Amino acid sequence: MKMKKCLALILGITLLVSSLAACGNTKKETTEEPTNSSTGTVTTTKDGETVVTYSLSEDFYTWDPAGQPSMPSYIARILIYDTLIESDHAGNYTPSLATSWSVSEDGKDWSFQLRDDVTFSNGEPFNAECVKATFERMAKDDTLAMHYLWVNLDSVEVVDDYNCIFHFTQPYGAFLSEISVASILPAKALAEQGADLFKTNPGTGAWKFVSYDPGNETVFERNDEYWGGQKSNVDKIVFKPISEDTTRISGLKTGEINIAGDIPPDQAMALEGQEALVVQQDPGLTMCFMSLETGEGKVFSDKNARLALMHCIDRELIVDSILGSGTPAYWPTMEGVIGYDADAVNSKEYAKYDPDMAKQLLADSSYNGEEIYFMAIDGKVPRTKEVLQAIQAMMTAVGFNVKLEIMEGATFVAKRSAGEYDLGFSNIFYGNGSSLNHANMHYVSDSAHTEFVNEEQLSLINEASMTVDLDKQNELMRQAFQIAMQEGAPMQYVLSLDMFAIYTSNIENIVVFPDGVMDLRNITVK
Amino acid sequence: MATARFLLKRLLASLLVLFGVSIIAFSLIRIAPGNPAMLMLPENATEEQIKNTEAKMGLDKPVVEQYLSYMGNVLQGDLGVSIFYNETCSNLIFKRLPATAQLTLIAVCISLIISIPLGIIAGIKRGTGVDFGAVLFALIGQSMSQVWFGLLLILLFGVTLGWLPTQGYGGFKNILMPAITLGLPLSAIVVRMLRSDMYDVMQEDYIVSTYAKGIGQWEIYLKYALKNALLPVITVTGMQIGQLLAGAIIVEQIFGWPGLGTLTVQAINMRDFPLIQSILLITAAIFVTVNTLVDILYTVIDPRMKLN
């Protein structure tokens, strides 16, 4: 009996001590590091620091700029790193770490002259070796997500400290667009530390990486020695991943969060007119599309069935009545993106909503009521369920027999790449206004396993990929997309999404690109 | 002696449970569609690229071999390295565990502080307004979705009244809303159980005899009746702690709480095999430990129970 009481006492004490210890830890953290505290309001902490908090739905997965990118990492890379050149996301390029550049006649060699007054935050000087190390790493290591962009890079020749030449095995049409987003890494630190470099992330950028606490917060600090001249009056930027949209919006309303992205359109529009908040809505570069498995024995191997699908969807209805934002897609790209055709969009020539025509096309096809497996990634379009059920209903109305399944990304990718589907709904964003990545990934490499082959289309895309002249590239891609619209394959396009960014009205000088990426480098607080 | 034998027996049984969990965790995530190498690479990665990446992750070996080497390392205290974070799983988990443990513990405390008095009073004052209120509370608490309840709290106390921060990790103010949300279903169960147990115990003969002895009303309630009525509550609370650790996944997502729950969701989304396995293993170990503690606590409260 006594022993049991003793035991109970020990148990009780242990529980108490552990809970007290846990509470104690928290208190310590809050007093030692003011930015760790809950309030992300633009606050002046006791050290007189101004802190801005921004929040997105997802966290960082990798800090390697050559790893699989996500929205947080795009934004962080702009803060902590620089690129050789910068893009205005409308096809114009300006100098950054490179002061000037030129391309050889055959389009295979690009020469760059570099700045000589730049150092990384770890003290390492920036020079041509860093350019070489950054790009050759991506070209050689095929386990890196960005490897595929640099497969044709033969080498980077270091002419002297501040001059280098990229040698390609064939002309690279998307080169300028790609280097304008490729973060330059410190060569020496990369060689010494390998992947461990991405625990400290030393860059040349306007902001310095301070700490990363997965799932909780990431802290950046203003770099007052920035070579480009520091324009911000904010001391720290804190990033917080909050997956629940409503919570993120609540944080905006209370001022705990200053900038938020990934806000669903209906919720964003509900915030319009609030004095303390700025709601920025622009047509975005994200396109929702469906890939069609057109292999032998599949329903969509029949062109008439594909065209029936094209004409049975009332894109305008989805945009107007379900989403309340966005643009119906009558062409694979939107204005400002390579391959755009204004006439086709205005005339709705290829994807006009015409259920009678769709019925007729379906009757002319070999379709006999087989079940169509329609799968989708949850969250690739706002109100995923409603939008997809609308598409399902529109298809059913003209005679398709559709089974819809909404799933998470990993399952979708596994099924799609194995071709275990008929119709797959996803989205793509035309980063920097270039459609070459989409075309190469989904048309040429057929990563969606559509099994659709049109030699003319493929050769047009290949030629465009090797064309450095942007006007010529544009025309080639327009022709390639025209075939896609005429054939209804391998992709059909449904709508493009508007881009929303919301921030408190005391924030100034942030740039929100049409692809949703934010440039917070020059952020100031009123 | 009996205690030592009991603990030894329990330890062996626990190891068996953990062994089972490790096999299930290991095979389930591999049966589920989705490949971490494919998720790490762009969509147009070649077969060869995927194979190389799998090799880098150690996923190219036969499954049995992968399992054996994983368990071999676990036995030496090495839970492996997360594919995505490039950090040891034990580091990641033990960095996050305190946040979840803190949340769970405070949730349990809050819910017991509310539910035990409420349950006792409802049990002895059956049919009164307090009883009706307690039953209503239990009904709402058990049927209310945590997501909904959490969002209501945020709207009321965070946005409208501005008393508490809407999200984030840090001080005591931050923990209140997630802990209440997490603890709500538990307090509902406890109120319901304690109410009916208290009522039943009060009808027992021994309680009648305490009345006969002339012992005071509240002494009877708290000293004689509560002891017996509390036993099922302890069992349920013990079981619930395990469930709360798991249920914290949803609450952590809502409140942006950087605990094990958010880590689990990320690990599953990205098919981070080593990390998922390790989280499940650690959670199972905690669950088993808590249950053993509950069994011991039982014999302390009720000497009629024997440890075996």
Side-chain angles (χ1 to χ4, degrees):
Chain A
M1 187 64 197
K2 248 190 185 162
M3 192 181 148
K4 277 172 192 163
K5 273 199 175 153
C6 249
L7 205 62
L9 197 68
I10 293 170
L11 261 173
I13 290 173
T14 326
L15 270 175
L16 196 70
V17 167
S18 57
S19 67
L20 282 179
C23 292
N25 270 341
T26 329
K27 274 186 200 143
K28 216 159 129 203
E29 267 170 34
T30 32
T31 45
E32 277 180 4
E33 265 183 75
T35 51
N36 250 11
S37 78
S38 63
T39 49
T41 328
V42 184
T43 44
T44 308
T45 62
K46 62 178 171 191
D47 310 323
E49 281 184 334
T50 311
V51 181
V52 160
T53 304
Y54 84 94
S55 176
L56 296 171
S57 63
E58 48 176 355
D59 197 5
F60 296 93
Y61 289 117
T62 172
W63 280 90
D64 184 348
Q68 184 73 307
S70 60
M71 195 51 84
S73 72
Y74 279 124
I75 296 173
R77 274 154 54 179
I78 295 182
L79 288 176
I80 53 184
Y81 292 109
D82 285 307
T83 50
L84 288 179
I85 59 171
E86 278 185 24
S87 152
D88 65 352
H89 295 234
N92 301 308
Y93 298 98
T94 47
S96 181
L97 287 177
T99 50
S100 64
W101 58 94
S102 60
V103 60
S104 67
E105 211 135 280
D106 61 3
K108 290 186 192 172
D109 306 302
W110 291 80
S111 314
F112 286 86
Q113 184 164 19
L114 310 174
R115 291 188 75 96
D116 58 5
D117 56 351
V118 180
T119 35
F120 287 89
S121 60
N122 65 350
E124 191 179 328
F126 162 75
N127 54 33
E129 288 294 341
C130 298
V131 179
K132 181 183 170 76
T134 301
F135 289 95
E136 289 193 350
R137 170 173 180 258
M138 293 193 278
K140 280 173 189 155
D141 186 349
D142 71 358
T143 62
L144 293 174
M146 291 299 109
H147 168 71
Y148 77 101
L149 295 171
W150 304 101
V151 277
N152 295 321
L153 176 66
D154 183 54
S155 65
V156 178
E157 181 191 338
V158 176
V159 180
D160 58 44
D161 269 3
Y162 303 107
N163 278 290
C164 62
I165 306 171
F166 286 70
H167 297 292
F168 285 92
T169 52
Q170 59 183 55
Y172 186 11
F175 177 65
L176 288 179
S177 164
E178 291 306 335
I179 56 163
S180 74
V181 291
S183 309
I184 304 298
L185 304 172
K188 227 173 92 196
L190 183 65
E192 282 165 8
Q193 301 168 27
D196 280 342
L197 182 70
F198 308 115
K199 288 179 177 161
T200 53
N201 305 304
T204 56
W207 291 76
K208 288 189 272 192
F209 170 87
V210 179
S211 64
Y212 166 53
D213 181 8
N216 185 22
E217 60 179 23
T218 304
V219 181
F220 305 94
E221 179 184 61
R222 194 181 60 211
N223 177 9
D224 285 322
E225 275 94 58
Y226 182 50
W227 59 269
Q230 185 53 256
K231 296 184 188 86
S232 174
N233 66 357
V234 174
D235 296 292
K236 276 181 179 161
I237 296 178
V238 175
F239 168 76
K240 278 179 179 250
I242 299 170
S243 52
E244 176 59 45
D245 298 329
T246 324
T247 313
R248 229 171 320 118
I249 292 168
S250 300
L252 268 174
K253 285 181 179 165
T254 60
E256 289 163 78
I257 292 166
N258 305 107
I259 308 163
D262 301 335
I263 307 276
D266 45 347
Q267 305 213 37
M269 288 185 283
L271 293 174
E272 268 168 17
Q274 293 221 4
E275 220 172 90
L277 296 176
V278 178
V279 179
Q280 190 178 333
Q281 176 181 6
D282 296 305
L285 293 180
T286 302
M287 177 65 84
C288 296
F289 70 95
M290 301 187 287
S291 48
L292 289 79
E293 162 63 284
T294 65
E296 220 185 304
K298 293 280 188 180
V299 172
F300 292 119
S301 59
D302 188 308
K303 184 177 167 181
N304 282 331
R306 296 198 298 260
L307 293 180
L309 173 67
M310 190 86 113
H311 291 289
C312 80
I313 299 173
D314 189 346
R315 292 165 169 81
E316 242 160 67
L317 180 90
I318 297 173
V319 167
D320 293 343
S321 308
I322 302 178
L323 294 181
S325 69
T327 314
Y330 297 104
W331 186 257
T333 64
M334 52 291 266
E335 206 174 345
V337 177
I338 300 257
Y340 181 68
D341 187 332
D343 293 340
V345 171
N346 294 333
S347 65
K348 302 177 189 172
E349 186 182 345
Y350 300 105
K352 192 173 63 193
Y353 172 58
D354 189 341
D356 294 331
M357 184 172 156
K359 271 182 204 157
Q360 190 54 49
L361 280 163
L362 200 58
D364 295 343
S365 76
S366 56
Y367 181 64
N368 283 320
E370 298 94 335
E371 186 178 84
I372 290 172
Y373 181 52
F374 181 18
M375 59 173 197
I377 304 183
D378 199 7
K380 287 289 173 182
V381 62
R383 300 200 168 175
T384 307
K385 218 159 126 196
E386 287 87 341
V387 169
L388 294 173
Q389 281 172 351
I391 295 178
Q392 183 188 25
M394 290 164 186
M395 288 174 71
T396 309
V398 299
F400 283 111
N401 169 18
V402 187
K403 180 189 166 202
L404 171 66
E405 205 178 321
I406 299 171
M407 57 192 76
E408 42 103 49
T411 311
F412 180 91
V413 170
K415 280 193 172 193
R416 194 175 67 174
S417 59
E420 291 163 6
Y421 76 104
D422 291 302
L423 204 52
F425 187 96
S426 181
N427 71 23
I428 180 106
F429 88 90
Y430 294 121
N432 254 355
S434 175
S435 54
L436 282 179
N437 258 341
H438 170 51
N440 276 312
M441 194 175 281
H442 292 116
Y443 287 60
V444 179
S445 307
D446 193 20
S447 65
H449 204 281
T450 62
E451 299 186 73
F452 180 77
V453 182
N454 180 309
E455 294 300 341
E456 195 191 341
Q457 189 180 48
L458 295 183
S459 75
L460 281 164
I461 296 171
N462 280 330
E463 203 187 327
S465 302
M466 288 194 276
T467 304
V468 179
D469 180 338
L470 288 180
D471 289 333
K472 242 160 104 188
Q473 198 187 80
N474 192 45
E475 174 54 23
L476 289 164
M477 283 311 296
R478 194 195 64 75
Q479 289 172 21
F481 283 141
Q482 189 170 25
I483 295 174
M485 295 308 281
Q486 284 162 349
E487 288 285 334
M491 307 293 160
Q492 293 192 12
Y493 300 81
V494 184
L495 55 99
S496 63
L497 302 177
D498 278 357
M499 191 276 316
F500 288 91
I502 307 181
Y503 43 93
T504 47
S505 45
N506 57 345
I507 300 286
E508 284 181 323
N509 296 321
I510 65 174
V511 183
V512 188
F513 296 116
D515 46 22
V517 176
M518 288 180 221
D519 180 352
L520 305 178
R521 279 179 296 185
N522 299 327
I523 187 168
T524 51
V525 168
K526 269 193 272 195
Chain B
M1 202 40 213
T3 318
R5 201 182 309 139
F6 166 80
L7 283 178
L8 192 70
K9 249 189 187 167
R10 252 326 181 55
L11 189 71
L12 288 177
S14 308
L15 286 178
L16 209 65
V17 169
L18 292 181
F19 176 66
V21 167
S22 74
I23 290 187
I24 293 170
F26 197 88
S27 31
L28 266 186
I29 46 175
R30 278 168 176 76
I31 291 169
N35 172 346
M38 278 168 69
L39 291 171
M40 254 181 123
L41 293 168
E43 284 179 25
N44 61 348
T46 58
E47 292 279 318
E48 195 194 333
Q49 228 181 319
I50 293 174
K51 271 194 188 125
N52 288 344
T53 309
E54 280 177 346
K56 203 167 138 188
M57 298 171 174
L59 298 175
D60 55 334
K61 299 188 186 86
V63 178
V64 178
E65 200 183 319
Q66 284 181 46
Y67 177 75
L68 289 178
S69 79
Y70 174 70
M71 282 313 280
N73 289 335
V74 167
L75 288 177
Q76 294 166 35
D78 174 10
L79 290 173
V81 176
S82 152
I83 293 174
F84 282 89
Y85 291 107
N86 190 29
E87 203 179 326
T88 59
C89 294
S90 43
N91 252 354
L92 284 168
I93 293 173
F94 289 109
K95 228 156 100 192
R96 300 284 199 101
L97 196 57
T100 298
Q102 214 176 322
L103 182 60
T104 309
L105 208 69
I106 296 194
V108 171
C109 289
I110 291 180
S111 63
L112 291 185
I113 288 171
I114 297 169
S115 57
I116 289 183
L118 197 57
I120 294 173
I121 297 172
I124 53 187
K125 306 257 184 229
R126 253 215 159 148
T128 62
V130 182
D131 181 31
F132 180 74
V135 173
L136 193 69
F137 172 78
L139 186 73
I140 293 173
Q142 274 200 292
S143 19
M144 176 94 83
S145 132
Q146 283 186 328
V147 179
W148 178 237
F149 185 62
L151 294 180
L152 282 184
L153 286 185
I154 292 178
L155 268 184
L156 181 62
F157 295 106
V159 179
T160 311
L161 297 172
W163 292 350
L164 297 170
T166 53
Q167 40 70 40
Y169 180 61
F172 183 68
K173 273 188 163 181
N174 292 84
I175 207 171
L176 267 181
M177 288 201 288
I180 290 172
T181 312
L182 190 62
L184 182 74
L186 172 65
S187 51
I189 298 173
V190 172
V191 166
R192 232 188 32 171
M193 286 189 84
L194 202 53
R195 173 179 172 270
S196 67
D197 288 340
M198 236 3 224
Y199 181 75
D200 289 345
V201 171
M202 288 304 291
Q203 315 298 317
E204 299 264 343
D205 289 344
Y206 81 94
I207 295 291
V208 179
S209 66
T210 52
Y211 273 111
K213 278 184 181 170
I215 294 171
Q217 189 86 354
W218 281 100
E219 201 183 341
I220 295 176
Y221 293 151
L222 296 181
K223 194 169 167 192
Y224 294 90
L226 188 61
K227 256 194 177 175
N228 277 322
L230 216 50
L231 284 176
V233 172
I234 292 171
T235 320
V236 167
T237 310
M239 301 281 281
Q240 284 284 317
I241 289 179
Q243 294 217 349
L244 288 181
L245 281 173
I249 290 180
I250 294 165
V251 175
E252 284 179 11
Q253 294 279 311
I254 298 173
F255 289 96
W257 190 260
L260 215 47
T262 41
L263 186 70
T264 311
V265 172
Q266 260 187 355
I268 292 175
N269 277 343
M270 298 311 284
R271 297 289 190 274
D272 195 333
F273 288 167
L275 190 53
I276 302 171
Q277 282 155 212
S278 306
I279 291 174
L280 288 176
L281 209 57
I282 298 278
T283 319
I286 295 173
F287 199 94
V288 169
T289 314
V290 170
N291 275 333
T292 311
L293 290 180
V294 168
D295 281 349
I296 296 172
L297 202 62
Y298 239 62
T299 60
V300 175
I301 292 177
D302 188 351
R304 288 172 302 181
M305 299 267 191
K306 286 278 174 298
L307 283 176
N308 57 42

